[in-house]
Amino acid sequence: MAFKLGLLICALIQLSTAAVEVPGALLKSSSVATFAAVAAAVAPTCDKVSVYSTCNDCNEVLICLGASEDTRDCSVTSPSTPYCSNGACSAMPDSSADCLPDGIVCTGVGFFPDPKNCQLYHYCEKVSDKSSVYECPPNYVYNAETSLCKQSSQAKDCITIQCDLSKIFVSYGTSKKYYAFCQYDGTTVKSISILKCGDNSSFDGTTCVFKCPAAGNYAHADPSKYYQCYSSGGQLVYTVQSCTTGKNFDQSLKVCITAVTTTTVATNND
C-alpha cells in the first residue's frame, strides 16, 4: 500500500512539474535597429583546396569547392531555415556569432507566435512596427494559449505555420485565435504574416467570426465601430454599429469617446 502511495505521489509531482509554464528571455528589443548580418570581423575565405561550407554572415553560406566557391542565401532559398549556423541553413541563428532573429512585422498589439520556430515568440507594441523577440528555454516551446513557454514532450508540441498554396489564410495548429497569410514568389514562400482574431472572435479557416459572449457592446477590429449584442428569438445576435465622426469605441467604458490624437508641442529654446 505504501509503495503504491509513493508511486502516486511521484506521478503527481511529475505531472505538476510538467504543467509549469515559464516566460521566455528577451533576445532582441523592438527598439534595436535592424541587425546588420555580419558574423565575423574578418570575412571567411576558402582555402582553394578543401571542400567544405562555412557561414559568410548570419544568413549566407559560403561553399568551398576546392579551386572554386559558391554562396547560398538561406533567407531566400529556404525561408523556413533562414539563418546560417555551422555552415548550414538553420531555423535558429548562431548566437555565438552575435546573430539575432528578426522581429516580425506587427499586425496587431500583444503576443504573437513565431511562424517558423516554435521556440521563439514576439511582442508587438504597435501595428506595422517590428516586434521584440523572445526565446523559450531549452526543451520548451511557445504556448500561444497562455503566452508562456511549456515543456515539450512530443513532436506535435512544436507548432509552426504550414503554408498551403490552395488556401488564402492558413491556421496556426489548432488555434482559433492565431492564423497566417503566406506571400509567395512563384511557388516559394516569400514571407509569412501572423494574424490574430480579436476578443470574442475565432478563426474558422477563412476569416475571424465574432460570437456574442453576452448582451452588451464589444470592440470591433475597426476602432470606430463596435458590436452591439442583444437577445432576439431566444438567442444572442449582433449588429455592427459605427461611432460618430472623430470618436472611437472604448472597450472599458463600452461607449464611443473622442479619439486620442498625437500632437506635436513646439519648445521655445530661445
Side-chain angles (χ1 to χ4, degrees), residues 9-19 151:
I9 292 173
C10 288
L12 289 172
I13 291 174
Q14 289 177 347
L15 180 62
S16 175
T17 302
Q151 285 185 301

Side-chain angles (χ1 to χ4, degrees), residues 141-163:
V141 295
Y142 182 61
N143 182 359
E145 298 305 310
T146 62
S147 300
L148 292 170
C149 301
K150 68 177 183 179
Q151 285 185 301
S152 176
S153 58
Q154 47 191 336
K156 69 178 183 180
D157 290 334
C158 181
I159 302 173
T160 55
I161 294 297
Q162 304 300 313
C163 292

Side-chain angles (χ1 to χ4, degrees), residues 2-161:
F3 177 72
K4 291 183 177 180
L5 181 59
L7 288 177
L8 177 60
I9 292 173
C10 288
L12 289 172
I13 291 174
Q14 289 177 347
L15 180 62
S16 175
T17 302
V20 173
E21 297 191 353
V22 298
L26 178 64
L27 285 183
K28 183 179 181 181
S29 172
S30 59
S31 61
V32 176
T34 302
F35 180 71
V38 178
V42 179
T45 57
C46 295
D47 64 9
K48 304 300 182 182
V49 176
S50 309
V51 175
Y52 61 96
S53 64
T54 187
C55 291
N56 227 0
D57 57 36
C58 293
N59 299 99
E60 188 175 80
V61 180
L62 173 64
I63 304 105
C64 299
L65 304 166
S68 62
E69 62 182 62
D70 197 3
T71 58
R72 180 172 299 170
D73 189 331
C74 297
S75 63
V76 174
T77 61
S78 56
S80 62
T81 53
Y83 307 103
C84 182
S85 181
N86 297 318
C89 293
S90 170
M92 283 294 291
D94 185 357
S95 58
S96 64
D98 292 329
C99 295
L100 298 174
D102 289 329
I104 60 172
V105 177
C106 296
T107 57
V109 176
F111 288 102
F112 289 82
D114 189 272
K116 304 171 186 175
N117 192 310
C118 57
Q119 198 176 347
L120 300 178
Y121 64 100
H122 305 263
Y123 184 77
C124 289
E125 297 182 17
K126 186 179 179 182
V127 175
S128 298
D129 280 3
K130 277 295 189 76
S131 66
S132 293
V133 187
Y134 290 80
E135 181 182 28
C136 291
N139 301 317
Y140 279 73
V141 295
Y142 182 61
N143 182 359
E145 298 305 310
T146 62
S147 300
L148 292 170
C149 301
K150 68 177 183 179
Q151 285 185 301
S152 176
S153 58
Q154 47 191 336
K156 69 178 183 180
D157 290 334
C158 181
I159 302 173
T160 55
I161 294 297

